[in-house]
Every structure is written in structure tokens, then in C-alpha cells.
Amino acid sequence: MDATDAVEPRYRVREMTEPDIDAVAAVRVSAWRHAYVGLMPQAYLDGLSVAAYAEQRRASFADPARAVTNLVAEGPDGTVLGWAAYGPATSTDPEGTAPDEGELYTLYARPDVIGTGVGRALLTEVLRRAPYPAVRLWVLEGNARARRFYERAGFRPDGGVLVEDADGSPVPELRYRRAAAVTVTVTVTVTG
């Protein structure tokens, strides 16, 4: 491939703005209803509300004390197709937090664009921007597709388990970690 064969990126990843909140809420709800079928109670998934989640996002987005970076991936027409949020590791970890570790809080893509690179574009940008030596995340134990996605990106389970409650049903999550940026050092020896 030469420079004339270069392909424009399909998705633009940028910081989320307040006008994106409704689209992000729709992405999150549709992604949960798609990805968590059989992993969470169906009544719980059916009860998710885009409007209610948008209100939660507005409150969280406006909170200056919360050190969260929200990113969106948009298509060529500006439509929000995915969302990711990251920041310092949270205290929801049963083992405590590492003071300099980051956490990918969420990464979702609309179900109709899963497998097209939206998630990969978001994750790449999170890891590029994250000012932490390591990043962790929590993924549902039964979500094989998401686990494969993160493992392909270099994340590995580290033995941490957290059991959340969804309408009275236990939902186990596994903690994954990886270095935020992988640095490769090459040593060249010149003789002669």
C-alpha cells in the first residue's frame, strides 16, 4: 500500500460534549440490551430507560469533582456510534485501588456497528490518552465477546472478581488489566 492508497478513518473519536448525552444514553441502553441478553435478567434489561440514563449522565457530566474523560466515536455524518469513559481507578474494587492506576469505566458501541472498528477506535484512543501506567476494567464473566475483544487488545484477567446485583440476580464481573502504553525497546549492536 502506498500513500495514494491510504484510507480515511471511518470514525472520528473526540471528547464528548453535553449535546451528545442523549445519543450516548441511547448507545448505552441499546448496547446493554444487546450484549447482556441471558447474562442479566430480561426484566432488568427491558426496564432500562434512555431518558433516565440521560438524566444520570447529565448530573455526572456536570460534576466538576469527578475526574472522568468521556469520548465518543462518530461516523462521517456526525452520528454518535460509540462511547467510552475512563479516569482514575474507582473504590468499587474489593481489593482497593492502586493510586496511579486508571480504569476504563465503560466502552459501548451501537449493536448495528459492533465488529466494524468503533470499539477498537475508542479503546485505542483511551489507551493513547490515559495518563496512567496501567489501566483496568471490569467485564461480565459471561460476556465472551467482550472478553475476547479486551484480550486481543492486551488486557488479561488478574484474578479480581466483583459480584454485582441486577434485580436480585448475581452478576459476576472479572477484572482485567494491561499497561496503558506498551513501549518496545530495541537494542542494536554495531560491530566492525
Side-chain angles (χ1 to χ4, degrees):
M1 176 184 281
D2 64 30
T4 59
D5 295 329
V7 178
E8 284 294 312
R10 286 182 178 173
Y11 311 110
R12 176 176 169 242
V13 177
R14 61 172 174 79
E15 293 228 10
M16 180 179 150
T17 61
E18 194 165 347
D20 296 321
I21 289 174
D22 290 326
V24 163
V27 165
R28 192 259 193 181
V29 169
S30 66
W32 273 51
R33 287 181 176 157
H34 176 80
Y36 300 149
V37 170
L39 301 176
M40 291 187 165
Q42 192 59 46
Y44 180 83
L45 295 174
D46 292 343
L48 295 174
S49 163
V50 171
Y53 192 70
E55 284 308 307
Q56 290 175 2
R57 291 276 13 112
R58 278 186 184 80
S60 176
F61 197 78
D63 182 1
R66 183 137 187 217
V68 175
T69 300
N70 289 278
L71 302 175
V72 294
E74 60 182 19
D77 65 354
T79 301
V80 172
L81 303 172
W83 164 58
Y86 70 92
T90 64
S91 61
T92 58
D93 187 335
E95 297 173 17
T97 61
D100 61 347
E101 189 170 75
E103 184 168 343
L104 175 61
Y105 305 129
T106 189
L107 191 153
Y108 295 110
R110 281 188 353 203
D112 62 318
V113 298
I114 290 174
T116 66
V118 169
R120 186 172 44 254
L122 283 164
L123 185 57
T124 298
E125 191 64 14
V126 166
L127 294 173
R128 187 185 74 75
R129 291 178 179 219
Y132 310 102
V135 175
R136 69 172 181 195
L137 59 89
W138 293 93
V139 62
L140 291 186
E141 181 178 46
N143 191 344
R145 181 182 197 126
R147 291 177 65 185
R148 284 190 308 270
F149 171 79
Y150 291 121
E151 288 168 7
R152 282 192 306 268
F155 284 87
R156 297 292 177 257
D158 69 0
V161 177
L162 179 66
V163 180
E164 295 285 350
D165 177 80
D167 275 356
S169 294
V171 180
E173 296 179 75
L174 305 177
R175 186 178 54 218
Y176 276 57
R177 274 194 172 89
R178 72 156 269 180
V182 177
T183 303
V184 177
T185 303
V186 177
T187 304
V188 177
T189 305
V190 179
T191 60

